[in-house]
Amino acid sequence: MKILVCITHVPDTTSKIAFTENNTSFDTSGVQYIIGPYDDFALARAVELKDSLGATVTVINVGLASAEPTIRKALAIGADDAIRVDVEPVSSMLVAKQIAHYAREGAYDMVLMGKESIDFNGGVVHGLVGALLGVPSISPVMSLEIEGGLAKMTREIEGGKEFVEVNLPFVAGCQEPIAEWKIPNMRGIMTARTKPLNVVEAVDMEQGSKTESFHLPDNKGAVKLVDPENMGELVGLLKNEAKVI
Amino acid sequence: MAVLVFAESVDGKLKKTSFEAICMAAKLSSDVVVVALGNIIKEEALAGLGKYGASRVLWVNDERFNQVSANLAADVVSVIMEKAGAKILVLATSPFTASVAAVVAVKQSAALATNVVEIPDLSNGFTVKRSIFSGKAFETVQLSGEKKILVFNKNAVEVTVSDQTVAVEKISPTAELKEKGLKITGSEKASGTVSLPEAEIVVSAGRGLKGAENWGMIEELASLLGAATGCSKPVSDVGWRPHHEHVGQTGIKVSPQLYIAVGISGAIQHLAGVNSSKYILVINKDPDAPFFKAADYGVVGDAFEVVPRLIEALKAAS
Ligand SMILES: Cc1cc2nc3c(=O)[nH]c(=O)nc-3n(C[C@H](O)[C@H](O)[C@H](O)COP(=O)(O)OP(=O)(O)OC[C@H]3O[C@@H](n4cnc5c(N)ncnc54)[C@H](O)[C@@H]3O)c2cc1C
Ligand SMILES: Nc1ncnc2c1ncn2[C@@H]1O[C@H](COP(=O)(O)O)[C@@H](O)[C@H]1O
């Protein structure tokens, strides 16, 4: 069994977001990078499947060389090898085209990824990759079991869950509690250094969208504090000033 | 130029955000074609879409679409987009519609923008503003090509109504109805609760409440306000509340008119899930809790005293 896991290289969830070069470029100074939290779930489940079913796990990242430490971390967590598609990941469509191309080339049995990236927040790469490959895509997936050529999944729906069965190959966007995040151990970190990380060229750059600029939200005004003894006043404000109740 | 809207429904009920999507489409064109799937939707509900600006409603009133995969829904939407000659497809955001939008984008070679927060600017090409970094920033993107797909965030547009009526046309899709290799085998749902992503008011509580047994007052407050209940991540991690109530960067993103946070510190990951709320009310005993910086209204006090008083005040006012 061959599993492809897509990982993003994204600012840590506590990062302060800022832009430079006249609001056209993300300010990377002082930013810590991590594997996308949802991608980390996908990776953890892939490594579990590798241990229980004897699969090989390849991670793929569409990004520049600066992403390599993050890719090495995925290797330390248990992936066997890695692909980096050497292009700036400027849109979901561009990213999906790269992933679909290399997924087809490697004939993977499944492509696992996060349900959403925490930078672009598109929540669409799984759907794009599935459609490009002509296989079903399912998201957000909360559990995944493989039984022969069949995958059994639970998908989150509003206020509950749905049970889905799908033939291999397929694409899934993952979220908790599909697996517990894995922390690399010393042996993992040592072996990760020598695992193959293949840098490949981008294909098909057609994408239909182009970023013009970035902006930060307007600052919120100061909070209006209400005396804890006077909840009548608070109700009045919500009713008459905010008009929300 | 026709604009197609995919109106999402859950258990046969059209989602409120679909009304927003129709209003948004009506700002782009006077020819707004709406497609809805499944035979348990009420015909009157569909006929009522005229008031939001629909000029045609296409109803795939087929049982097989009551519980449908995103891939299959996308097949149908894609065929209808072509038949209607629509160059723009508009959807209101949800995990389901994002998947539908993605598949249609590939089928139609359309440019795709998700998390759109404003009406597109057509004065110079086709520019859209979208939310990125979980609401911590925005991006302005230029879309190119003949076809475009826009997935809007909640509250991107004010819902306005007229007294326009619209005829509902029943159609059967010509697309292949059986999905290759995928089967939905069942589902499980909590009943009777207000859906969190759709809610106009959300009452959320955090670790400050100390234990699952203290959620009674939160539920009472929520039911008085017709609100959905939410929680912080540690609260669902320890099982005080179900996982699907967890709000934040790694949970549900909400954008209600009013978000009430009780005993939640306001960590940046929590704020990322609530920063598109219209108003935020924070109740916390620590005046330095970071949440107050993001709040419109605040009460510094013990939740176990403040919440019961707020409940009393609400009862007195109604
Ligand atoms: C990768 C990552 C992702 C994360 N994603 C999320 C996410 O999506 N959502 C999320 O919520 N968190 C997320 N977190 C966790 C986040 O960092 C915080 O730890 C969490 O939000 C804190 O929850 P809390 O505010 O309920 O608890 P605490 O931080 O413990 O705060 C409790 C608050 O209650 C107040 N309080 C205590 N007693 C009372 C009382 N009697 N009356 C009134 N107030 C009282 C305290 O003053 C305090 O402010 C994530 C963390 C990481 C590392
Ligand atoms: N640049 C990238 N390289 C590899 N995988 C990616 C990249 N961008 C997005 N993905 C994958 O696609 C998922 C969904 O991303 P998005 O559609 O941007 O929310 C992420 O969780 C990743 O698993």
CSV table of all heavy atoms in Angstrom, one decimal, chain B residues 130-183:
chain,number,residue,atom,x,y,z
B,130,ARG,N,-10.8,38.2,0.2
B,130,ARG,CA,-11.0,37.0,0.9
B,130,ARG,C,-10.3,37.0,2.2
B,130,ARG,O,-9.2,37.6,2.4
B,130,ARG,CB,-10.7,35.7,0.1
B,130,ARG,CG,-9.3,35.6,-0.4
B,130,ARG,CD,-9.1,34.4,-1.3
B,130,ARG,NE,-9.5,33.2,-0.6
B,130,ARG,CZ,-8.6,32.4,0.0
B,130,ARG,NH1,-7.3,32.7,0.0
B,130,ARG,NH2,-8.9,31.3,0.7
B,131,SER,N,-10.8,36.2,3.2
B,131,SER,CA,-10.2,36.1,4.5
B,131,SER,C,-9.2,35.0,4.5
B,131,SER,O,-9.4,33.9,3.9
B,131,SER,CB,-11.4,35.9,5.5
B,131,SER,OG,-10.9,35.1,6.6
B,132,ILE,N,-8.0,35.3,5.1
B,132,ILE,CA,-7.0,34.3,5.2
B,132,ILE,C,-6.4,34.2,6.6
B,132,ILE,O,-6.8,35.0,7.4
B,132,ILE,CB,-5.8,34.6,4.2
B,132,ILE,CG1,-5.3,36.0,4.4
B,132,ILE,CG2,-6.2,34.4,2.7
B,132,ILE,CD1,-4.0,36.3,3.6
B,133,PHE,N,-5.5,33.3,6.9
B,133,PHE,CA,-5.0,33.1,8.2
B,133,PHE,C,-6.1,33.1,9.3
B,133,PHE,O,-6.0,33.9,10.3
B,133,PHE,CB,-3.9,34.2,8.5
B,133,PHE,CG,-2.7,34.1,7.7
B,133,PHE,CD1,-2.4,35.0,6.7
B,133,PHE,CD2,-1.8,33.1,8.0
B,133,PHE,CE1,-1.2,34.9,6.0
B,133,PHE,CE2,-0.6,32.9,7.2
B,133,PHE,CZ,-0.3,33.9,6.2
B,134,SER,N,-7.1,32.3,9.0
B,134,SER,CA,-8.2,32.2,10.0
B,134,SER,C,-8.8,33.5,10.4
B,134,SER,O,-9.0,33.7,11.6
B,134,SER,CB,-7.8,31.4,11.2
B,134,SER,OG,-7.1,30.2,10.8
B,135,GLY,N,-9.0,34.4,9.5
B,135,GLY,CA,-9.6,35.7,9.8
B,135,GLY,C,-8.6,36.7,10.4
B,135,GLY,O,-9.0,37.8,10.7
B,136,LYS,N,-7.3,36.4,10.5
B,136,LYS,CA,-6.3,37.3,11.0
B,136,LYS,C,-5.9,38.3,10.0
B,136,LYS,O,-5.3,39.3,10.3
B,136,LYS,CB,-5.1,36.6,11.6
B,136,LYS,CG,-5.4,35.8,12.8
B,136,LYS,CD,-4.0,35.1,13.2
B,136,LYS,CE,-4.3,33.8,14.0
B,136,LYS,NZ,-3.0,33.0,14.1
B,137,ALA,N,-6.2,38.1,8.7
B,137,ALA,CA,-5.9,39.0,7.6
B,137,ALA,C,-6.8,38.8,6.4
B,137,ALA,O,-7.6,37.9,6.4
B,137,ALA,CB,-4.4,38.8,7.2
B,138,PHE,N,-6.6,39.7,5.4
B,138,PHE,CA,-7.4,39.6,4.2
B,138,PHE,C,-6.4,39.6,3.0
B,138,PHE,O,-5.3,40.1,3.1
B,138,PHE,CB,-8.4,40.7,4.1
B,138,PHE,CG,-9.4,40.7,5.2
B,138,PHE,CD1,-9.3,41.5,6.3
B,138,PHE,CD2,-10.5,39.8,5.1
B,138,PHE,CE1,-10.2,41.5,7.3
B,138,PHE,CE2,-11.4,39.8,6.1
B,138,PHE,CZ,-11.3,40.7,7.2
B,139,GLU,N,-6.9,39.1,1.9
B,139,GLU,CA,-6.2,39.0,0.7
B,139,GLU,C,-7.0,39.6,-0.5
B,139,GLU,O,-8.2,39.2,-0.5
B,139,GLU,CB,-5.8,37.5,0.4
B,139,GLU,CG,-5.0,37.3,-0.9
B,139,GLU,CD,-5.0,35.8,-1.2
B,139,GLU,OE1,-5.9,35.0,-0.8
B,139,GLU,OE2,-4.0,35.4,-1.8
B,140,THR,N,-6.5,40.4,-1.3
B,140,THR,CA,-7.2,40.8,-2.5
B,140,THR,C,-6.7,40.0,-3.7
B,140,THR,O,-5.5,40.0,-4.0
B,140,THR,CB,-7.0,42.3,-2.8
B,140,THR,OG1,-7.4,43.0,-1.6
B,140,THR,CG2,-7.8,42.8,-3.9
B,141,VAL,N,-7.6,39.3,-4.4
B,141,VAL,CA,-7.1,38.5,-5.5
B,141,VAL,C,-7.9,38.9,-6.8
B,141,VAL,O,-9.0,39.2,-6.8
B,141,VAL,CB,-7.5,37.0,-5.3
B,141,VAL,CG1,-6.3,36.1,-5.4
B,141,VAL,CG2,-8.3,36.7,-4.1
B,142,GLN,N,-7.1,38.8,-7.9
B,142,GLN,CA,-7.7,39.0,-9.2
B,142,GLN,C,-8.0,37.7,-9.8
B,142,GLN,O,-7.1,36.8,-9.9
B,142,GLN,CB,-6.6,39.8,-10.0
B,142,GLN,CG,-7.0,40.1,-11.4
B,142,GLN,CD,-8.0,41.2,-11.5
B,142,GLN,OE1,-9.1,41.0,-12.1
B,142,GLN,NE2,-7.7,42.4,-10.9
B,143,LEU,N,-9.3,37.5,-10.2
B,143,LEU,CA,-9.6,36.2,-10.9
B,143,LEU,C,-9.7,36.4,-12.4
B,143,LEU,O,-10.1,37.4,-12.9
B,143,LEU,CB,-11.0,35.7,-10.4
B,143,LEU,CG,-11.2,35.4,-8.9
B,143,LEU,CD1,-12.6,34.8,-8.7
B,143,LEU,CD2,-10.1,34.5,-8.4
B,144,SER,N,-9.2,35.4,-13.1
B,144,SER,CA,-9.2,35.6,-14.5
B,144,SER,C,-9.9,34.4,-15.2
B,144,SER,O,-10.3,33.5,-14.5
B,144,SER,CB,-7.7,35.6,-15.0
B,144,SER,OG,-7.0,34.5,-14.6
B,145,GLY,N,-10.1,34.4,-16.5
B,145,GLY,CA,-10.7,33.3,-17.2
B,145,GLY,C,-12.2,33.6,-17.3
B,145,GLY,O,-12.8,34.5,-16.8
B,146,GLU,N,-12.8,32.7,-18.1
B,146,GLU,CA,-14.2,32.9,-18.5
B,146,GLU,C,-15.2,32.6,-17.3
B,146,GLU,O,-16.2,33.3,-17.2
B,146,GLU,CB,-14.5,32.0,-19.7
B,146,GLU,CG,-15.7,32.4,-20.5
B,146,GLU,CD,-16.2,31.2,-21.3
B,146,GLU,OE1,-15.6,30.1,-21.2
B,146,GLU,OE2,-17.3,31.3,-21.9
B,147,LYS,N,-14.9,31.6,-16.5
B,147,LYS,CA,-15.8,31.2,-15.5
B,147,LYS,C,-15.2,31.4,-14.1
B,147,LYS,O,-14.0,31.2,-13.9
B,147,LYS,CB,-16.2,29.7,-15.7
B,147,LYS,CG,-17.0,29.5,-16.9
B,147,LYS,CD,-17.3,28.1,-17.1
B,147,LYS,CE,-18.0,27.9,-18.5
B,147,LYS,NZ,-18.2,26.5,-18.8
B,148,LYS,N,-16.1,31.7,-13.2
B,148,LYS,CA,-15.6,32.0,-11.8
B,148,LYS,C,-16.5,31.3,-10.8
B,148,LYS,O,-17.7,31.2,-11.0
B,148,LYS,CB,-15.6,33.5,-11.5
B,148,LYS,CG,-14.4,34.2,-12.1
B,148,LYS,CD,-14.7,35.4,-12.8
B,148,LYS,CE,-13.6,35.9,-13.6
B,148,LYS,NZ,-14.0,36.4,-15.0
B,149,ILE,N,-15.9,30.8,-9.7
B,149,ILE,CA,-16.6,30.3,-8.6
B,149,ILE,C,-16.3,31.0,-7.3
B,149,ILE,O,-15.1,31.1,-7.0
B,149,ILE,CB,-16.3,28.7,-8.5
B,149,ILE,CG1,-16.7,28.0,-9.8
B,149,ILE,CG2,-17.1,28.1,-7.3
B,149,ILE,CD1,-16.5,26.6,-9.8
B,150,LEU,N,-17.3,31.5,-6.6
B,150,LEU,CA,-17.1,32.3,-5.4
B,150,LEU,C,-17.8,31.6,-4.3
B,150,LEU,O,-19.0,31.4,-4.3
B,150,LEU,CB,-17.7,33.7,-5.6
B,150,LEU,CG,-17.3,34.5,-6.9
B,150,LEU,CD1,-18.1,35.8,-7.0
B,150,LEU,CD2,-15.8,34.8,-6.8
B,151,VAL,N,-17.0,31.3,-3.2
B,151,VAL,CA,-17.6,30.8,-2.0
B,151,VAL,C,-17.6,31.9,-0.9
B,151,VAL,O,-16.5,32.3,-0.5
B,151,VAL,CB,-16.8,29.5,-1.6
B,151,VAL,CG1,-17.6,28.9,-0.4
B,151,VAL,CG2,-16.6,28.5,-2.7
B,152,PHE,N,-18.7,32.3,-0.5
B,152,PHE,CA,-18.8,33.5,0.4
B,152,PHE,C,-18.8,33.1,1.9
B,152,PHE,O,-19.5,32.1,2.2
B,152,PHE,CB,-20.1,34.3,0.1
B,152,PHE,CG,-19.9,35.1,-1.1
B,152,PHE,CD1,-20.4,34.7,-2.3
B,152,PHE,CD2,-19.2,36.3,-1.0
B,152,PHE,CE1,-20.3,35.5,-3.5
B,152,PHE,CE2,-19.1,37.1,-2.2
B,152,PHE,CZ,-19.6,36.7,-3.4
B,153,ASN,N,-18.2,33.9,2.7
B,153,ASN,CA,-18.3,33.7,4.1
B,153,ASN,C,-19.7,34.2,4.6
B,153,ASN,O,-20.3,35.1,3.9
B,153,ASN,CB,-17.2,34.5,4.9
B,153,ASN,CG,-16.0,33.6,5.0
B,153,ASN,OD1,-15.9,32.5,4.5
B,153,ASN,ND2,-15.0,34.2,5.6
B,154,LYS,N,-20.1,33.7,5.8
B,154,LYS,CA,-21.3,34.2,6.4
B,154,LYS,C,-21.2,35.7,6.6
B,154,LYS,O,-20.1,36.2,6.9
B,154,LYS,CB,-21.5,33.5,7.7
B,154,LYS,CG,-22.9,33.6,8.2
B,154,LYS,CD,-23.2,32.5,9.2
B,154,LYS,CE,-24.5,32.8,10.0
B,154,LYS,NZ,-24.3,33.7,11.1
B,155,ASN,N,-22.3,36.5,6.6
B,155,ASN,CA,-22.3,37.9,6.8
B,155,ASN,C,-21.5,38.7,5.8
B,155,ASN,O,-21.2,39.9,6.1
B,155,ASN,CB,-21.8,38.2,8.3
B,155,ASN,CG,-22.6,37.7,9.3
B,155,ASN,OD1,-23.8,37.4,9.1
B,155,ASN,ND2,-22.1,37.5,10.5
B,156,ALA,N,-21.2,38.2,4.7
B,156,ALA,CA,-20.5,39.0,3.7
B,156,ALA,C,-21.4,40.0,3.1
B,156,ALA,O,-21.0,41.0,2.5
B,156,ALA,CB,-19.9,38.1,2.6
B,157,VAL,N,-22.7,39.7,3.2
B,157,VAL,CA,-23.7,40.6,2.6
B,157,VAL,C,-24.9,40.7,3.5
B,157,VAL,O,-25.2,39.8,4.2
B,157,VAL,CB,-24.1,40.1,1.1
B,157,VAL,CG1,-24.8,38.8,1.2
B,157,VAL,CG2,-24.9,41.1,0.4
B,158,GLU,N,-25.5,41.8,3.5
B,158,GLU,CA,-26.8,42.1,4.2
B,158,GLU,C,-27.9,41.4,3.5
B,158,GLU,O,-28.0,41.5,2.3
B,158,GLU,CB,-27.0,43.6,4.3
B,158,GLU,CG,-27.9,44.1,5.4
B,158,GLU,CD,-27.1,44.2,6.7
B,158,GLU,OE1,-26.0,44.7,6.7
B,158,GLU,OE2,-27.6,43.7,7.7
B,159,VAL,N,-28.7,40.6,4.2
B,159,VAL,CA,-29.8,40.0,3.5
B,159,VAL,C,-31.0,41.0,3.3
B,159,VAL,O,-31.4,41.6,4.3
B,159,VAL,CB,-30.3,38.7,4.3
B,159,VAL,CG1,-31.6,38.2,3.7
B,159,VAL,CG2,-29.3,37.7,4.3
B,160,THR,N,-31.4,41.2,2.1
B,160,THR,CA,-32.5,42.1,1.9
B,160,THR,C,-33.6,41.3,1.1
B,160,THR,O,-33.3,40.4,0.4
B,160,THR,CB,-32.1,43.3,0.9
B,160,THR,OG1,-31.4,42.7,-0.2
B,160,THR,CG2,-31.2,44.2,1.7
B,161,VAL,N,-34.8,41.7,1.4
B,161,VAL,CA,-35.9,40.9,0.8
B,161,VAL,C,-36.9,41.9,0.0
B,161,VAL,O,-37.0,43.0,0.4
B,161,VAL,CB,-36.8,40.1,1.8
B,161,VAL,CG1,-35.9,39.0,2.4
B,161,VAL,CG2,-37.3,41.0,2.9
B,162,SER,N,-37.5,41.3,-1.0
B,162,SER,CA,-38.5,42.1,-1.8
B,162,SER,C,-39.8,41.2,-1.8
B,162,SER,O,-39.8,40.2,-1.1
B,162,SER,CB,-38.0,42.3,-3.2
B,162,SER,OG,-37.9,41.1,-3.9
B,163,ASP,N,-40.8,41.6,-2.5
B,163,ASP,CA,-41.9,40.7,-2.6
B,163,ASP,C,-42.0,39.9,-3.9
B,163,ASP,O,-43.0,39.4,-4.3
B,163,ASP,CB,-43.2,41.4,-2.3
B,163,ASP,CG,-43.4,42.7,-3.1
B,163,ASP,OD1,-42.6,42.8,-4.1
B,163,ASP,OD2,-44.2,43.6,-2.7
B,164,GLN,N,-40.8,39.8,-4.5
B,164,GLN,CA,-40.7,39.0,-5.8
B,164,GLN,C,-41.1,37.5,-5.6
B,164,GLN,O,-40.7,37.0,-4.6
B,164,GLN,CB,-39.3,39.2,-6.3
B,164,GLN,CG,-39.1,38.7,-7.7
B,164,GLN,CD,-37.6,38.9,-8.1
B,164,GLN,OE1,-37.1,39.9,-7.9
B,164,GLN,NE2,-37.0,37.8,-8.7
B,165,THR,N,-41.8,37.0,-6.5
B,165,THR,CA,-42.0,35.5,-6.4
B,165,THR,C,-41.3,34.9,-7.6
B,165,THR,O,-40.9,35.5,-8.6
B,165,THR,CB,-43.5,35.2,-6.5
B,165,THR,OG1,-44.0,35.8,-7.7
B,165,THR,CG2,-44.3,35.7,-5.3
B,166,VAL,N,-41.2,33.5,-7.5
B,166,VAL,CA,-40.5,32.8,-8.5
B,166,VAL,C,-41.1,31.5,-8.7
B,166,VAL,O,-41.6,30.8,-7.8
B,166,VAL,CB,-39.0,32.7,-8.2
B,166,VAL,CG1,-38.7,31.9,-7.0
B,166,VAL,CG2,-38.1,32.2,-9.4
B,167,ALA,N,-41.1,31.0,-10.0
B,167,ALA,CA,-41.7,29.7,-10.2
B,167,ALA,C,-40.6,28.6,-10.0
B,167,ALA,O,-39.4,28.9,-10.3
B,167,ALA,CB,-42.2,29.6,-11.7
B,168,VAL,N,-41.0,27.5,-9.5
B,168,VAL,CA,-40.0,26.4,-9.2
B,168,VAL,C,-40.1,25.4,-10.4
B,168,VAL,O,-41.2,24.9,-10.7
B,168,VAL,CB,-40.3,25.7,-7.9
B,168,VAL,CG1,-39.4,24.6,-7.6
B,168,VAL,CG2,-40.3,26.7,-6.8
B,169,GLU,N,-39.0,25.1,-11.0
B,169,GLU,CA,-39.0,24.2,-12.1
B,169,GLU,C,-38.3,22.9,-11.6
B,169,GLU,O,-37.2,22.9,-11.2
B,169,GLU,CB,-38.1,24.7,-13.3
B,169,GLU,CG,-38.6,26.1,-13.8
B,169,GLU,CD,-37.5,26.7,-14.7
B,169,GLU,OE1,-36.9,26.1,-15.5
B,169,GLU,OE2,-37.3,28.0,-14.5
B,170,LYS,N,-39.1,21.8,-11.7
B,170,LYS,CA,-38.5,20.5,-11.3
B,170,LYS,C,-37.7,19.9,-12.5
B,170,LYS,O,-38.2,19.9,-13.6
B,170,LYS,CB,-39.7,19.5,-11.0
B,170,LYS,CG,-40.4,19.9,-9.8
B,170,LYS,CD,-41.5,19.0,-9.5
B,170,LYS,CE,-42.4,19.6,-8.3
B,170,LYS,NZ,-43.7,19.0,-8.2
B,171,ILE,N,-36.5,19.5,-12.2
B,171,ILE,CA,-35.7,18.9,-13.2
B,171,ILE,C,-35.1,17.6,-12.8
B,171,ILE,O,-35.0,17.3,-11.6
B,171,ILE,CB,-34.6,19.9,-13.6
B,171,ILE,CG1,-33.7,20.2,-12.4
B,171,ILE,CG2,-35.1,21.2,-14.2
B,171,ILE,CD1,-32.3,20.9,-12.8
B,172,SER,N,-34.8,16.8,-13.8
B,172,SER,CA,-34.0,15.6,-13.4
B,172,SER,C,-32.7,15.7,-14.1
B,172,SER,O,-32.6,16.1,-15.3
B,172,SER,CB,-34.7,14.3,-13.8
B,172,SER,OG,-35.4,14.5,-15.1
B,173,PRO,N,-31.6,15.5,-13.3
B,173,PRO,CA,-30.3,15.7,-13.9
B,173,PRO,C,-29.9,14.6,-14.9
B,173,PRO,O,-30.3,13.5,-14.8
B,173,PRO,CB,-29.4,15.6,-12.6
B,173,PRO,CG,-30.2,14.7,-11.7
B,173,PRO,CD,-31.6,14.9,-12.0
B,174,THR,N,-29.2,15.0,-15.9
B,174,THR,CA,-28.8,14.1,-16.9
B,174,THR,C,-27.5,13.4,-16.5
B,174,THR,O,-27.0,12.5,-17.1
B,174,THR,CB,-28.6,14.7,-18.3
B,174,THR,OG1,-27.9,15.9,-18.1
B,174,THR,CG2,-30.0,15.1,-18.9
B,175,ALA,N,-26.8,14.0,-15.5
B,175,ALA,CA,-25.5,13.4,-15.0
B,175,ALA,C,-25.7,12.0,-14.6
B,175,ALA,O,-26.8,11.6,-14.1
B,175,ALA,CB,-25.0,14.3,-13.9
B,176,GLU,N,-24.7,11.3,-14.7
B,176,GLU,CA,-24.6,9.9,-14.2
B,176,GLU,C,-25.0,9.9,-12.7
B,176,GLU,O,-24.4,10.6,-11.9
B,176,GLU,CB,-23.2,9.4,-14.4
B,176,GLU,CG,-22.9,8.0,-13.7
B,176,GLU,CD,-23.4,6.9,-14.5
B,176,GLU,OE1,-23.0,6.8,-15.7
B,176,GLU,OE2,-24.1,6.0,-14.0
B,177,LEU,N,-26.0,9.2,-12.3
B,177,LEU,CA,-26.5,9.3,-10.9
B,177,LEU,C,-25.8,8.5,-9.9
B,177,LEU,O,-26.0,8.6,-8.7
B,177,LEU,CB,-28.0,9.0,-10.9
B,177,LEU,CG,-28.9,10.3,-11.1
B,177,LEU,CD1,-30.3,9.9,-11.0
B,177,LEU,CD2,-28.5,11.3,-10.0
B,178,LYS,N,-25.1,7.5,-10.4
B,178,LYS,CA,-24.4,6.6,-9.4
B,178,LYS,C,-23.0,7.0,-9.3
B,178,LYS,O,-22.3,7.2,-10.3
B,178,LYS,CB,-24.5,5.2,-9.9
B,178,LYS,CG,-25.0,4.3,-8.8
B,178,LYS,CD,-25.2,2.8,-9.3
B,178,LYS,CE,-24.1,1.9,-8.8
B,178,LYS,NZ,-23.9,1.9,-7.4
B,179,GLU,N,-22.6,7.2,-8.1
B,179,GLU,CA,-21.2,7.6,-7.9
B,179,GLU,C,-20.3,6.4,-7.9
B,179,GLU,O,-20.5,5.4,-7.3
B,179,GLU,CB,-21.0,8.3,-6.6
B,179,GLU,CG,-19.6,8.7,-6.4
B,179,GLU,CD,-19.4,9.9,-5.6
B,179,GLU,OE1,-20.2,10.1,-4.6
B,179,GLU,OE2,-18.5,10.6,-5.9
B,180,LYS,N,-19.2,6.6,-8.6
B,180,LYS,CA,-18.2,5.5,-8.7
B,180,LYS,C,-17.6,5.3,-7.4
B,180,LYS,O,-16.9,6.2,-6.8
B,180,LYS,CB,-17.1,5.8,-9.7
B,180,LYS,CG,-17.6,5.9,-11.2
B,180,LYS,CD,-16.5,6.3,-12.1
B,180,LYS,CE,-16.2,7.7,-12.1
B,180,LYS,NZ,-16.1,8.9,-12.3
B,181,GLY,N,-17.7,4.1,-6.8
B,181,GLY,CA,-16.9,3.7,-5.7
B,181,GLY,C,-17.2,4.3,-4.4
B,181,GLY,O,-16.4,4.1,-3.4
B,182,LEU,N,-18.3,5.1,-4.2
B,182,LEU,CA,-18.5,5.7,-2.9
B,182,LEU,C,-19.9,5.5,-2.4
B,182,LEU,O,-20.9,5.5,-3.2
B,182,LEU,CB,-18.3,7.3,-3.0
B,182,LEU,CG,-18.4,8.0,-1.7
B,182,LEU,CD1,-17.4,9.2,-1.6
B,182,LEU,CD2,-19.8,8.6,-1.4
B,183,LYS,N,-20.1,5.1,-1.2
B,183,LYS,CA,-21.4,4.8,-0.6
B,183,LYS,C,-21.5,5.5,0.7
B,183,LYS,O,-20.7,5.3,1.6
B,183,LYS,CB,-21.5,3.3,-0.5
B,183,LYS,CG,-23.0,2.8,-0.7
B,183,LYS,CD,-23.0,1.3,-1.0
B,183,LYS,CE,-22.7,0.5,0.3
B,183,LYS,NZ,-22.4,-0.9,0.1
